[in-house]
Amino acid sequence: MARRRFLALGGGLALTGSLGACASPVVSGLTGTQPDTADVIFWNLFTGGDGANMVLMEDAFRASHPGTSVEATILSWGNPYYTKLALATASGTPPDVAIAHLSRLPLLAASGLLEPVADTGVAELGVTRDRFTPAAWQKATVAGSVFAVPLDTHPFVLFYNADLARKAGLLNTAGDGLKDMRGKDDFVGALKAMKDAGAQYGAVMSITADPSTAWRCFSMVYSGLAGPVVSDSGTRITVDDAAMEESFAFLRELTSGGLMPGSLTGAGANALFSTGKAGFLFDGEWQIPSYRLIKDFRFNVVPFPALLGPKPVAYADSHALVVPRNSRRSARRTADAAAFVKSLLDNSAVWAHGGHVPAWLPTQRSRAFLDQSPQRNYVQAAFSAVYDPVAWYTGAGSDFQSTVGATIIEVLAGRMSPKSAVTAMRSDLKRYTTARPPVTMQEASR
């Protein structure tokens, strides 16, 4: 694989900078000297609570497969991780199993870095399409072939302060969820009710220096009205100008009317929500463990209702399990890798404690998951999930999200009008759609 492809996979990072910090598995991978130090070598990017949950799942595999060893290596999240994975795979010494975001999958698959799932042996263990959340499985499919086994869906969701919601009259008759909301007027009315109930703001969101969160929110709103902003594997701008302007205008209405602050850091959003000064929080479900640590703080989490379009939409991504291509991997190692993947799926109720919705339907429908609250409340978001559009430059932690998110932040802050933002967004997208892809890209199967 050409050096140019590595740079693209890593989002344009200089390899010399990332290699200096490489862990030994990557360095030895580049030289082709990495020994088979375990029966299954597993790379992931999980720290904190997710990291602790993954360790429990790894230990469960070891306990159920006492003759099979696992070596897990944790690497830096984002572009550095994908650069290192590409380098190790191209050098012929990749891990046996690795984590990848489904939003990053199209380029990984097009670059020839992954084994098709059909060749990994997991189907013989019952890992088949009908046992996964449809949206996640579809996103794992590129040009008709499946290249990843989805582990979860992690959607952008609506947190709410339960005490304020009760005071505002927003709870259902059972008191365990919100009353039905449909459309912009109901939603704006709910934010106003939170303010009337004593909150400083109806809702908060991390905005300042957080373009990825801004993009998640905007993409959710816009996707209720129109299709992807780019198509043809990211080479053509397909923006619906009217829908985009309407989406910008809706978000700006929230900040210009004082229902949301137009500029706020992540720490500020967390502080306002956790101290009862904001009724709603727009964020990813991965924030749930943090709020559980706050004494006497009662909150709940639900999917966003339909906003500008007729149906609810959830912006989302998925962690998935991939088997990097390795022509020297033995049949025994392939079988061990397949067993490891199946074990992680079977134990994904543990993974759900981090807030993620299991993509494996046997777990999603199990008592072990359904007893988890608020996780069970937003399962539907996994079925209405919209991911980043298919392109070599999109996906989790990408420069694309930083670029388009910066334009959205300008609108939220009132420094750019919705109409001007449409023009700016088209300019942002042109920067990417006119760039030469590092590999031939194909759209995901539909």
mmCIF file of all heavy atoms in Angstrom, residues 275-317:
data_model
loop_
_atom_site.group_PDB
_atom_site.id
_atom_site.type_symbol
_atom_site.label_atom_id
_atom_site.label_comp_id
_atom_site.label_asym_id
_atom_site.label_seq_id
_atom_site.Cartn_x
_atom_site.Cartn_y
_atom_site.Cartn_z
ATOM 1 N N THR A 275 -26.291 20.402 37.894
ATOM 2 C CA THR A 275 -26.692 21.214 39.054
ATOM 3 C C THR A 275 -28.121 21.740 38.930
ATOM 4 O O THR A 275 -28.534 22.605 39.702
ATOM 5 C CB THR A 275 -25.728 22.397 39.246
ATOM 6 O OG1 THR A 275 -25.700 23.191 38.057
ATOM 7 C CG2 THR A 275 -24.320 21.903 39.570
ATOM 8 N N GLY A 276 -28.869 21.246 37.970
ATOM 9 C CA GLY A 276 -30.269 21.626 37.840
ATOM 10 C C GLY A 276 -30.488 22.973 37.183
ATOM 11 O O GLY A 276 -31.601 23.512 37.244
ATOM 12 N N LYS A 277 -29.470 23.504 36.510
ATOM 13 C CA LYS A 277 -29.614 24.795 35.845
ATOM 14 C C LYS A 277 -29.984 24.658 34.370
ATOM 15 O O LYS A 277 -30.137 25.659 33.676
ATOM 16 C CB LYS A 277 -28.325 25.605 36.011
ATOM 17 C CG LYS A 277 -28.040 25.966 37.467
ATOM 18 C CD LYS A 277 -26.733 26.732 37.592
ATOM 19 C CE LYS A 277 -26.456 27.062 39.071
ATOM 20 N NZ LYS A 277 -25.151 27.751 39.257
ATOM 21 N N ALA A 278 -30.098 23.420 33.905
ATOM 22 C CA ALA A 278 -30.535 23.153 32.536
ATOM 23 C C ALA A 278 -31.453 21.940 32.567
ATOM 24 O O ALA A 278 -31.154 20.940 33.236
ATOM 25 C CB ALA A 278 -29.342 22.889 31.625
ATOM 26 N N GLY A 279 -32.562 22.022 31.858
ATOM 27 C CA GLY A 279 -33.520 20.925 31.869
ATOM 28 C C GLY A 279 -33.103 19.751 31.005
ATOM 29 O O GLY A 279 -33.275 18.595 31.385
ATOM 30 N N PHE A 280 -32.552 20.051 29.814
ATOM 31 C CA PHE A 280 -32.148 19.010 28.874
ATOM 32 C C PHE A 280 -30.657 19.139 28.570
ATOM 33 O O PHE A 280 -30.074 20.222 28.659
ATOM 34 C CB PHE A 280 -32.923 19.133 27.559
ATOM 35 C CG PHE A 280 -34.392 18.827 27.658
ATOM 36 C CD1 PHE A 280 -35.325 19.858 27.683
ATOM 37 C CD2 PHE A 280 -34.841 17.516 27.705
ATOM 38 C CE1 PHE A 280 -36.690 19.583 27.761
ATOM 39 C CE2 PHE A 280 -36.205 17.231 27.789
ATOM 40 C CZ PHE A 280 -37.121 18.264 27.812
ATOM 41 N N LEU A 281 -30.085 18.033 28.168
ATOM 42 C CA LEU A 281 -28.708 17.991 27.671
ATOM 43 C C LEU A 281 -28.719 17.220 26.370
ATOM 44 O O LEU A 281 -29.276 16.119 26.293
ATOM 45 C CB LEU A 281 -27.786 17.292 28.682
ATOM 46 C CG LEU A 281 -26.370 16.960 28.189
ATOM 47 C CD1 LEU A 281 -25.524 18.232 28.073
ATOM 48 C CD2 LEU A 281 -25.693 15.948 29.124
ATOM 49 N N PHE A 282 -28.104 17.783 25.334
ATOM 50 C CA PHE A 282 -27.940 17.079 24.058
ATOM 51 C C PHE A 282 -26.539 16.472 24.058
ATOM 52 O O PHE A 282 -25.540 17.210 24.036
ATOM 53 C CB PHE A 282 -28.054 18.033 22.867
ATOM 54 C CG PHE A 282 -29.306 18.872 22.813
ATOM 55 C CD1 PHE A 282 -29.387 19.938 21.920
ATOM 56 C CD2 PHE A 282 -30.404 18.609 23.617
ATOM 57 C CE1 PHE A 282 -30.530 20.720 21.832
ATOM 58 C CE2 PHE A 282 -31.560 19.387 23.546
ATOM 59 C CZ PHE A 282 -31.620 20.441 22.651
ATOM 60 N N ASP A 283 -26.431 15.160 24.032
ATOM 61 C CA ASP A 283 -25.095 14.548 24.088
ATOM 62 C C ASP A 283 -25.186 13.071 23.712
ATOM 63 O O ASP A 283 -26.277 12.536 23.478
ATOM 64 C CB ASP A 283 -24.490 14.696 25.486
ATOM 65 C CG ASP A 283 -22.971 14.854 25.455
ATOM 66 O OD1 ASP A 283 -22.335 14.312 24.533
ATOM 67 O OD2 ASP A 283 -22.426 15.510 26.358
ATOM 68 N N GLY A 284 -24.045 12.427 23.702
ATOM 69 C CA GLY A 284 -23.996 11.000 23.434
ATOM 70 C C GLY A 284 -24.298 10.203 24.689
ATOM 71 O O GLY A 284 -24.024 10.645 25.813
ATOM 72 N N GLU A 285 -24.847 8.999 24.509
ATOM 73 C CA GLU A 285 -25.198 8.181 25.661
ATOM 74 C C GLU A 285 -23.996 7.763 26.491
ATOM 75 O O GLU A 285 -24.148 7.339 27.640
ATOM 76 C CB GLU A 285 -25.984 6.938 25.217
ATOM 77 C CG GLU A 285 -25.514 6.268 23.937
ATOM 78 C CD GLU A 285 -24.229 5.482 24.078
ATOM 79 O OE1 GLU A 285 -23.740 5.296 25.201
ATOM 80 O OE2 GLU A 285 -23.702 5.039 23.055
ATOM 81 N N TRP A 286 -22.804 7.917 25.949
ATOM 82 C CA TRP A 286 -21.593 7.546 26.686
ATOM 83 C C TRP A 286 -21.349 8.434 27.909
ATOM 84 O O TRP A 286 -20.492 8.138 28.730
ATOM 85 C CB TRP A 286 -20.389 7.598 25.753
ATOM 86 C CG TRP A 286 -20.257 8.877 24.984
ATOM 87 C CD1 TRP A 286 -19.636 10.016 25.387
ATOM 88 C CD2 TRP A 286 -20.752 9.140 23.664
ATOM 89 N NE1 TRP A 286 -19.709 10.991 24.414
ATOM 90 C CE2 TRP A 286 -20.394 10.474 23.342
ATOM 91 C CE3 TRP A 286 -21.454 8.380 22.728
ATOM 92 C CZ2 TRP A 286 -20.724 11.053 22.119
ATOM 93 C CZ3 TRP A 286 -21.784 8.962 21.507
ATOM 94 C CH2 TRP A 286 -21.423 10.288 21.214
ATOM 95 N N GLN A 287 -22.126 9.493 28.042
ATOM 96 C CA GLN A 287 -21.998 10.350 29.223
ATOM 97 C C GLN A 287 -22.744 9.799 30.442
ATOM 98 O O GLN A 287 -22.574 10.293 31.555
ATOM 99 C CB GLN A 287 -22.539 11.761 28.918
ATOM 100 C CG GLN A 287 -21.789 12.517 27.838
ATOM 101 C CD GLN A 287 -20.425 13.000 28.311
ATOM 102 O OE1 GLN A 287 -19.994 12.718 29.423
ATOM 103 N NE2 GLN A 287 -19.749 13.733 27.465
ATOM 104 N N ILE A 288 -23.559 8.782 30.250
ATOM 105 C CA ILE A 288 -24.374 8.256 31.347
ATOM 106 C C ILE A 288 -23.549 7.877 32.576
ATOM 107 O O ILE A 288 -23.903 8.253 33.707
ATOM 108 C CB ILE A 288 -25.227 7.063 30.856
ATOM 109 C CG1 ILE A 288 -26.349 7.567 29.953
ATOM 110 C CG2 ILE A 288 -25.799 6.266 32.031
ATOM 111 C CD1 ILE A 288 -27.136 6.462 29.275
ATOM 112 N N PRO A 289 -22.442 7.123 32.441
ATOM 113 C CA PRO A 289 -21.691 6.742 33.647
ATOM 114 C C PRO A 289 -21.228 7.934 34.477
ATOM 115 O O PRO A 289 -21.189 7.853 35.716
ATOM 116 C CB PRO A 289 -20.505 5.948 33.076
ATOM 117 C CG PRO A 289 -21.021 5.394 31.788
ATOM 118 C CD PRO A 289 -21.893 6.478 31.232
ATOM 119 N N SER A 290 -20.900 9.033 33.839
ATOM 120 C CA SER A 290 -20.427 10.218 34.573
ATOM 121 C C SER A 290 -21.534 10.804 35.441
ATOM 122 O O SER A 290 -21.313 11.178 36.599
ATOM 123 C CB SER A 290 -19.926 11.286 33.599
ATOM 124 O OG SER A 290 -18.824 10.818 32.858
ATOM 125 N N TYR A 291 -22.743 10.892 34.911
ATOM 126 C CA TYR A 291 -23.846 11.481 35.671
ATOM 127 C C TYR A 291 -24.336 10.562 36.792
ATOM 128 O O TYR A 291 -24.899 11.037 37.778
ATOM 129 C CB TYR A 291 -24.984 11.866 34.729
ATOM 130 C CG TYR A 291 -24.613 13.045 33.867
ATOM 131 C CD1 TYR A 291 -24.426 12.906 32.493
ATOM 132 C CD2 TYR A 291 -24.400 14.298 34.432
ATOM 133 C CE1 TYR A 291 -24.057 13.987 31.712
ATOM 134 C CE2 TYR A 291 -24.023 15.380 33.651
ATOM 135 C CZ TYR A 291 -23.850 15.218 32.300
ATOM 136 O OH TYR A 291 -23.476 16.285 31.525
ATOM 137 N N ARG A 292 -24.105 9.283 36.643
ATOM 138 C CA ARG A 292 -24.479 8.362 37.715
ATOM 139 C C ARG A 292 -23.646 8.574 38.974
ATOM 140 O O ARG A 292 -24.036 8.160 40.064
ATOM 141 C CB ARG A 292 -24.305 6.924 37.231
ATOM 142 C CG ARG A 292 -25.465 6.440 36.380
ATOM 143 C CD ARG A 292 -25.360 4.961 36.166
ATOM 144 N NE ARG A 292 -26.560 4.439 35.537
ATOM 145 C CZ ARG A 292 -26.555 3.540 34.568
ATOM 146 N NH1 ARG A 292 -25.417 3.078 34.106
ATOM 147 N NH2 ARG A 292 -27.690 3.091 34.068
ATOM 148 N N LEU A 293 -22.495 9.192 38.829
ATOM 149 C CA LEU A 293 -21.617 9.415 39.975
ATOM 150 C C LEU A 293 -22.061 10.592 40.841
ATOM 151 O O LEU A 293 -21.553 10.782 41.945
ATOM 152 C CB LEU A 293 -20.182 9.651 39.491
ATOM 153 C CG LEU A 293 -19.518 8.496 38.725
ATOM 154 C CD1 LEU A 293 -18.149 8.943 38.206
ATOM 155 C CD2 LEU A 293 -19.396 7.259 39.595
ATOM 156 N N ILE A 294 -23.015 11.376 40.340
ATOM 157 C CA ILE A 294 -23.442 12.584 41.048
ATOM 158 C C ILE A 294 -24.552 12.226 42.032
ATOM 159 O O ILE A 294 -25.633 11.778 41.644
ATOM 160 C CB ILE A 294 -23.914 13.658 40.062
ATOM 161 C CG1 ILE A 294 -22.776 13.994 39.080
ATOM 162 C CG2 ILE A 294 -24.362 14.913 40.802
ATOM 163 C CD1 ILE A 294 -23.193 14.889 37.944
ATOM 164 N N LYS A 295 -24.306 12.434 43.296
ATOM 165 C CA LYS A 295 -25.241 12.046 44.353
ATOM 166 C C LYS A 295 -26.555 12.823 44.244
ATOM 167 O O LYS A 295 -26.564 14.044 44.026
ATOM 168 C CB LYS A 295 -24.599 12.298 45.720
ATOM 169 C CG LYS A 295 -25.431 11.807 46.897
ATOM 170 C CD LYS A 295 -24.714 12.052 48.216
ATOM 171 C CE LYS A 295 -25.545 11.580 49.396
ATOM 172 N NZ LYS A 295 -24.854 11.818 50.696
ATOM 173 N N ASP A 296 -27.651 12.114 44.384
ATOM 174 C CA ASP A 296 -29.002 12.681 44.404
ATOM 175 C C ASP A 296 -29.394 13.382 43.100
ATOM 176 O O ASP A 296 -30.326 14.196 43.084
ATOM 177 C CB ASP A 296 -29.163 13.665 45.569
ATOM 178 C CG ASP A 296 -28.989 12.993 46.923
ATOM 179 O OD1 ASP A 296 -29.362 11.809 47.036
ATOM 180 O OD2 ASP A 296 -28.462 13.651 47.851
ATOM 181 N N PHE A 297 -28.676 13.093 42.025
ATOM 182 C CA PHE A 297 -29.033 13.695 40.740
ATOM 183 C C PHE A 297 -29.874 12.693 39.959
ATOM 184 O O PHE A 297 -29.417 11.601 39.621
ATOM 185 C CB PHE A 297 -27.786 14.073 39.951
ATOM 186 C CG PHE A 297 -28.080 14.684 38.601
ATOM 187 C CD1 PHE A 297 -28.876 15.814 38.507
ATOM 188 C CD2 PHE A 297 -27.572 14.125 37.434
ATOM 189 C CE1 PHE A 297 -29.162 16.380 37.273
ATOM 190 C CE2 PHE A 297 -27.843 14.687 36.198
ATOM 191 C CZ PHE A 297 -28.641 15.820 36.122
ATOM 192 N N ARG A 298 -31.112 13.054 39.671
ATOM 193 C CA ARG A 298 -32.037 12.168 38.980
ATOM 194 C C ARG A 298 -32.201 12.636 37.532
ATOM 195 O O ARG A 298 -32.669 13.752 37.287
ATOM 196 C CB ARG A 298 -33.383 12.143 39.713
ATOM 197 C CG ARG A 298 -33.352 11.370 41.032
ATOM 198 C CD ARG A 298 -34.658 11.479 41.794
ATOM 199 N NE ARG A 298 -34.819 12.794 42.383
ATOM 200 C CZ ARG A 298 -34.296 13.157 43.566
ATOM 201 N NH1 ARG A 298 -33.575 12.294 44.258
ATOM 202 N NH2 ARG A 298 -34.491 14.370 44.052
ATOM 203 N N PHE A 299 -31.820 11.760 36.643
ATOM 204 C CA PHE A 299 -31.923 12.086 35.217
ATOM 205 C C PHE A 299 -32.414 10.861 34.464
ATOM 206 O O PHE A 299 -32.408 9.737 34.970
ATOM 207 C CB PHE A 299 -30.567 12.537 34.669
ATOM 208 C CG PHE A 299 -29.542 11.437 34.553
ATOM 209 C CD1 PHE A 299 -29.365 10.755 33.357
ATOM 210 C CD2 PHE A 299 -28.757 11.065 35.643
ATOM 211 C CE1 PHE A 299 -28.429 9.731 33.247
ATOM 212 C CE2 PHE A 299 -27.818 10.057 35.547
ATOM 213 C CZ PHE A 299 -27.653 9.378 34.344
ATOM 214 N N ASN A 300 -32.819 11.094 33.245
ATOM 215 C CA ASN A 300 -33.236 10.002 32.370
ATOM 216 C C ASN A 300 -32.748 10.330 30.970
ATOM 217 O O ASN A 300 -32.328 11.469 30.683
ATOM 218 C CB ASN A 300 -34.754 9.825 32.403
ATOM 219 C CG ASN A 300 -35.187 8.413 32.039
ATOM 220 O OD1 ASN A 300 -34.406 7.636 31.488
ATOM 221 N ND2 ASN A 300 -36.433 8.079 32.333
ATOM 222 N N VAL A 301 -32.816 9.347 30.101
ATOM 223 C CA VAL A 301 -32.327 9.510 28.730
ATOM 224 C C VAL A 301 -33.325 8.867 27.776
ATOM 225 O O VAL A 301 -33.769 7.733 28.001
ATOM 226 C CB VAL A 301 -30.940 8.855 28.546
ATOM 227 C CG1 VAL A 301 -30.403 9.144 27.142
ATOM 228 C CG2 VAL A 301 -29.956 9.340 29.600
ATOM 229 N N VAL A 302 -33.674 9.594 26.719
ATOM 230 C CA VAL A 302 -34.615 9.092 25.711
ATOM 231 C C VAL A 302 -34.108 9.483 24.329
ATOM 232 O O VAL A 302 -33.238 10.352 24.199
ATOM 233 C CB VAL A 302 -36.030 9.686 25.926
ATOM 234 C CG1 VAL A 302 -36.634 9.182 27.224
ATOM 235 C CG2 VAL A 302 -35.995 11.214 25.900
ATOM 236 N N PRO A 303 -34.635 8.868 23.278
ATOM 237 C CA PRO A 303 -34.274 9.313 21.923
ATOM 238 C C PRO A 303 -34.848 10.699 21.663
ATOM 239 O O PRO A 303 -35.847 11.099 22.265
ATOM 240 C CB PRO A 303 -34.936 8.274 21.013
ATOM 241 C CG PRO A 303 -35.335 7.142 21.892
ATOM 242 C CD PRO A 303 -35.559 7.726 23.253
ATOM 243 N N PHE A 304 -34.237 11.436 20.748
ATOM 244 C CA PHE A 304 -34.841 12.693 20.308
ATOM 245 C C PHE A 304 -36.150 12.391 19.581
ATOM 246 O O PHE A 304 -36.249 11.407 18.833
ATOM 247 C CB PHE A 304 -33.902 13.438 19.363
ATOM 248 C CG PHE A 304 -32.876 14.287 20.054
ATOM 249 C CD1 PHE A 304 -31.646 13.749 20.397
ATOM 250 C CD2 PHE A 304 -33.137 15.604 20.363
ATOM 251 C CE1 PHE A 304 -30.687 14.525 21.035
ATOM 252 C CE2 PHE A 304 -32.195 16.396 20.995
ATOM 253 C CZ PHE A 304 -30.966 15.856 21.342
ATOM 254 N N PRO A 305 -37.151 13.224 19.764
ATOM 255 C CA PRO A 305 -38.393 13.046 18.998
ATOM 256 C C PRO A 305 -38.187 13.537 17.567
ATOM 257 O O PRO A 305 -37.144 14.110 17.225
ATOM 258 C CB PRO A 305 -39.374 13.949 19.747
ATOM 259 C CG PRO A 305 -38.511 15.064 20.273
ATOM 260 C CD PRO A 305 -37.204 14.398 20.653
ATOM 261 N N ALA A 306 -39.171 13.326 16.731
ATOM 262 C CA ALA A 306 -39.149 13.936 15.403
ATOM 263 C C ALA A 306 -39.103 15.447 15.590
ATOM 264 O O ALA A 306 -39.846 16.000 16.399
ATOM 265 C CB ALA A 306 -40.390 13.526 14.622
ATOM 266 N N LEU A 307 -38.247 16.112 14.851
ATOM 267 C CA LEU A 307 -38.085 17.558 15.010
ATOM 268 C C LEU A 307 -38.611 18.305 13.788
ATOM 269 O O LEU A 307 -39.698 18.859 13.809
ATOM 270 C CB LEU A 307 -36.622 17.885 15.290
ATOM 271 C CG LEU A 307 -36.090 17.357 16.636
ATOM 272 C CD1 LEU A 307 -34.596 17.566 16.769
ATOM 273 C CD2 LEU A 307 -36.819 18.016 17.791
ATOM 274 N N LEU A 308 -37.859 18.313 12.699
ATOM 275 C CA LEU A 308 -38.323 19.032 11.513
ATOM 276 C C LEU A 308 -38.965 18.115 10.480
ATOM 277 O O LEU A 308 -39.680 18.578 9.598
ATOM 278 C CB LEU A 308 -37.151 19.790 10.868
ATOM 279 C CG LEU A 308 -36.469 20.839 11.743
ATOM 280 C CD1 LEU A 308 -35.428 21.599 10.936
ATOM 281 C CD2 LEU A 308 -37.480 21.816 12.339
ATOM 282 N N GLY A 309 -38.695 16.839 10.563
ATOM 283 C CA GLY A 309 -39.270 15.891 9.624
ATOM 284 C C GLY A 309 -40.341 15.047 10.278
ATOM 285 O O GLY A 309 -40.630 15.186 11.469
ATOM 286 N N PRO A 310 -40.924 14.120 9.519
ATOM 287 C CA PRO A 310 -42.046 13.320 10.038
ATOM 288 C C PRO A 310 -41.636 12.204 10.991
ATOM 289 O O PRO A 310 -42.472 11.705 11.747
ATOM 290 C CB PRO A 310 -42.676 12.745 8.766
ATOM 291 C CG PRO A 310 -41.542 12.672 7.782
ATOM 292 C CD PRO A 310 -40.690 13.869 8.076
ATOM 293 N N LYS A 311 -40.356 11.774 10.950
ATOM 294 C CA LYS A 311 -39.935 10.639 11.765
ATOM 295 C C LYS A 311 -38.725 11.007 12.617
ATOM 296 O O LYS A 311 -37.903 11.833 12.216
ATOM 297 C CB LYS A 311 -39.574 9.450 10.864
ATOM 298 C CG LYS A 311 -40.753 8.887 10.074
ATOM 299 C CD LYS A 311 -40.310 7.710 9.222
ATOM 300 C CE LYS A 311 -41.474 7.135 8.428
ATOM 301 N NZ LYS A 311 -41.051 5.993 7.579
ATOM 302 N N PRO A 312 -38.602 10.377 13.787
ATOM 303 C CA PRO A 312 -37.404 10.604 14.610
ATOM 304 C C PRO A 312 -36.150 10.096 13.898
ATOM 305 O O PRO A 312 -36.192 9.092 13.182
ATOM 306 C CB PRO A 312 -37.677 9.781 15.877
ATOM 307 C CG PRO A 312 -39.136 9.530 15.884
ATOM 308 C CD PRO A 312 -39.553 9.470 14.448
ATOM 309 N N VAL A 313 -35.066 10.808 14.100
ATOM 310 C CA VAL A 313 -33.768 10.424 13.548
ATOM 311 C C VAL A 313 -32.748 10.478 14.671
ATOM 312 O O VAL A 313 -32.774 11.397 15.489
ATOM 313 C CB VAL A 313 -33.336 11.376 12.406
ATOM 314 C CG1 VAL A 313 -31.929 11.038 11.936
ATOM 315 C CG2 VAL A 313 -34.312 11.291 11.237
ATOM 316 N N ALA A 314 -31.866 9.501 14.708
ATOM 317 C CA ALA A 314 -30.799 9.511 15.702
ATOM 318 C C ALA A 314 -29.459 9.489 14.984
ATOM 319 O O ALA A 314 -29.164 8.538 14.248
ATOM 320 C CB ALA A 314 -30.912 8.300 16.627
ATOM 321 N N TYR A 315 -28.667 10.543 15.166
ATOM 322 C CA TYR A 315 -27.294 10.463 14.662
ATOM 323 C C TYR A 315 -26.570 9.423 15.511
ATOM 324 O O TYR A 315 -26.723 9.385 16.745
ATOM 325 C CB TYR A 315 -26.575 11.805 14.775
ATOM 326 C CG TYR A 315 -25.124 11.679 14.355
ATOM 327 C CD1 TYR A 315 -24.753 11.817 13.024
ATOM 328 C CD2 TYR A 315 -24.136 11.362 15.285
ATOM 329 C CE1 TYR A 315 -23.433 11.657 12.629
ATOM 330 C CE2 TYR A 315 -22.820 11.209 14.898
ATOM 331 C CZ TYR A 315 -22.471 11.351 13.576
ATOM 332 O OH TYR A 315 -21.166 11.179 13.189
ATOM 333 N N ALA A 316 -25.786 8.580 14.882
ATOM 334 C CA ALA A 316 -25.127 7.520 15.639
ATOM 335 C C ALA A 316 -23.857 7.050 14.943
ATOM 336 O O ALA A 316 -23.601 7.360 13.779
ATOM 337 C CB ALA A 316 -26.067 6.330 15.819
ATOM 338 N N ASP A 317 -23.089 6.303 15.684
ATOM 339 C CA ASP A 317 -21.960 5.547 15.160
ATOM 340 C C ASP A 317 -21.986 4.204 15.866
ATOM 341 O O ASP A 317 -22.824 3.971 16.755
ATOM 342 C CB ASP A 317 -20.639 6.276 15.392
ATOM 343 C CG ASP A 317 -19.557 5.896 14.376
ATOM 344 O OD1 ASP A 317 -19.678 4.814 13.759
ATOM 345 O OD2 ASP A 317 -18.594 6.662 14.203
#
